[in-house]
Amino acid sequence: MPLYDLIVENIWFFPFLISLVLLIVSVVKEPRRFRNALLLMLSILCFALWILLLSRNTEYETLIALTISGSVLFLVLIVPLLLIYDSFLMIKREGFSLSSLLAAMFAIFIFLGESALFFYLTTDLPAHLTWASILLLLTGYTVFYISFVFLAFMFYSTGIRFLPRRVDFDYIVVLGCGLLNGDQVSRLLGDRLDKAYKVFDRSMSACKIITSGGQGPDETISEAEAMKQYLVEKHGVSPKDIILEDKSVNTMENLKNSQAIIQKRGGRQFTAIVSSGYHIMRANIYAQRLNFPAVGIGAHTALYYWPSAMIREYAALVKYYWRPYFLTLIIIGVILTYITAAVH
């Protein structure tokens, strides 16, 4: 086989190899980075394209093509349907609200983008690019990019819970969330506190629990105080082992204020950050930005609550990283639009 044909046939092997090497290096360096999830998704995508191209004109071509296209079609159809189903569950269990509709709205967004791309690829459009075809392609690839990063985000948030972690902490920071009736710990917050107590109880070192959360306009006491009462009354934790951080109003302030308390106390500072499983990724990213060497530990969250919660977390991270996020979106959208139009 001529060298040129060999290179063309294996053109996707090189992106696969590069992304795989970067993934291995990144995991070895820091297994809790979000970029690991993106590199994993990219490696899988490049591998699938390489195998698909490599199988051309072989007896396995049809089988491999059907397997890959079938998997893609399954994801294309099942993800929006599952998101819509989750919205029904949210409305049934949590009541009708914008939060309950988030999953369904995201599903419609994905479906419209998929439909735009499918329409372009299956319709006999003019060979030259028109504004209509450019709009269809950009819409499709925008949704593809957003969905791709969202799936990586979901894999990361799920997988990080199973990474090994130390068990000898000096501090356990519990991130607060809203109270019920102004002074009662919600089920979601209770799950976080129960998880924090397990970590506290199993720690090989004597440690302190920092309950972090300020007082909202509709709350009669601070979240930190309500969390302390819960730990004392339900789990019998000594008040001497609980430190209140009752000034913060968001996740970044939770971590910044708790870090200041820990640094002021001095000594060894091995720290665990406990929050809901879907929230740990954002907490980890913020901690890294603050140079706060802490381990994120996710608490149990009801399965039906995950999709809507993940969408909110995803939106918060997009807002936080909006410059690189949208710059990458524009670059990828333009490149893929050009390639697809040229091939089509």
Side-chain angles (χ1 to χ4, degrees):
M1 178 183 293
L3 180 60
Y4 175 78
D5 292 341
L6 185 63
I7 293 175
V8 171
E9 190 172 88
N10 291 275
I11 193 68
W12 281 104
F13 170 76
F14 302 104
F16 163 65
L17 182 62
I18 292 171
S19 57
L20 182 62
V21 170
L22 289 174
L23 172 63
I24 294 172
V25 171
S26 182
V27 169
V28 170
K29 185 177 180 181
E30 176 49 71
R32 299 176 188 276
R33 289 273 185 156
F34 176 50
R35 68 186 178 206
N36 298 338
L38 292 173
L39 288 170
L40 175 61
M41 293 285 289
L42 186 61
S43 298
I44 293 172
L45 179 63
C46 292
F47 178 76
L49 291 171
W50 174 48
I51 293 299
L52 188 61
L53 195 61
L54 199 63
S55 66
R56 288 192 310 172
N57 303 319
T58 69
E59 59 181 309
Y60 303 107
E61 179 180 8
T62 302
L63 177 62
I64 292 175
L66 287 174
T67 301
I68 294 176
S69 59
S71 300
V72 172
L73 183 62
F74 174 78
L75 290 173
V76 163
L77 294 176
I78 199 65
V79 170
L81 290 177
L82 287 176
L83 287 172
I84 291 173
Y85 175 69
D86 180 73
S87 264
F88 281 117
L89 287 180
M90 283 287 292
I91 292 172
K92 182 178 179 181
R93 300 183 183 186
E94 303 288 334
F96 187 85
S97 66
L98 180 60
S99 177
S100 301
L101 293 173
L102 270 178
M105 293 166 63
F106 193 52
I108 294 171
F109 171 75
I110 292 174
F111 181 75
L112 289 175
E114 292 171 347
S115 299
L117 192 57
F118 179 79
F119 177 78
Y120 179 87
L121 295 175
T122 57
T123 304
D124 188 18
L125 295 172
H128 62 281
L129 282 177
T130 64
W131 285 111
S133 58
I134 290 175
L135 182 61
L136 283 173
L137 281 176
L138 286 176
T139 301
Y141 284 128
T142 296
V143 173
F144 171 80
Y145 173 83
I146 293 172
S147 304
F148 181 86
V149 179
F150 180 71
L151 282 175
F153 171 73
M154 289 194 69
F155 288 152
Y156 175 95
S157 298
T158 302
I160 198 172
R161 300 177 62 192
F162 302 103
L163 289 176
R165 52 180 178 260
R166 65 167 67 244
V167 292
D168 57 336
F169 296 107
D170 301 302
Y171 297 94
I172 301 167
V173 178
V174 193
L175 304 185
C177 59
L179 302 177
L180 298 177
N181 303 319
D183 62 353
Q184 297 174 18
V185 168
S186 65
R187 178 181 174 184
L188 190 69
L189 184 53
D191 287 337
R192 297 182 185 184
L193 292 165
D194 293 340
K195 186 68 173 182
Y197 174 73
K198 288 181 181 179
V199 177
F200 173 82
D201 189 50
R202 295 173 183 174
S203 178
M204 298 172 62
S205 305
C207 62
K208 301 291 185 181
I209 299 177
I210 299 178
T211 55
S212 180
Q215 181 175 342
D218 58 343
E219 296 170 344
T220 56
I221 60 174
S222 69
E223 294 169 10
E225 180 62 37
M227 293 157 74
K228 176 183 178 180
Q229 293 177 9
Y230 182 95
L231 288 168
V232 172
E233 294 172 6
K234 180 174 181 179
H235 295 294
V237 179
S238 170
K240 294 186 298 182
D241 291 326
I242 301 174
I243 302 172
L244 298 185
E245 186 291 290
D246 56 3
K247 304 300 181 185
S248 55
V249 297
N250 55 46
T251 301
M252 181 61 84
E253 290 188 9
N254 287 144
L255 298 174
K256 187 180 294 184
N257 295 346
S258 298
Q259 182 186 27
I261 291 172
I262 292 170
Q263 290 177 340
K264 186 176 181 179
R265 290 173 61 88
R268 208 178 71 149
Q269 301 177 6
F270 293 155
T271 305
I273 299 171
V274 176
S275 188
S276 302
Y278 63 83
H279 189 230
I280 281 301
M281 176 188 157
R282 183 150 60 104
N284 277 343
I285 291 174
Y286 288 178
Q288 289 164 5
R289 278 297 179 95
L290 294 169
N291 293 317
F292 187 5
V295 175
I297 299 176
H300 167 76
T301 306
L303 187 61
Y304 76 90
Y305 193 81
W306 264 81
S308 296
M310 293 293 287
I311 293 169
R312 290 196 300 272
E313 287 297 304
Y314 182 59
L317 282 175
V318 169
K319 181 181 178 180
Y320 190 70
Y321 288 114
W322 70 270
R323 286 186 180 87
Y325 183 89
F326 285 106
L327 179 61
T328 306
L329 170 60
I330 292 169
I331 293 172
I332 290 178
V334 170
I335 291 174
L336 290 179
T337 297
Y338 176 80
I339 293 174
T340 305
V343 172
H344 190 65

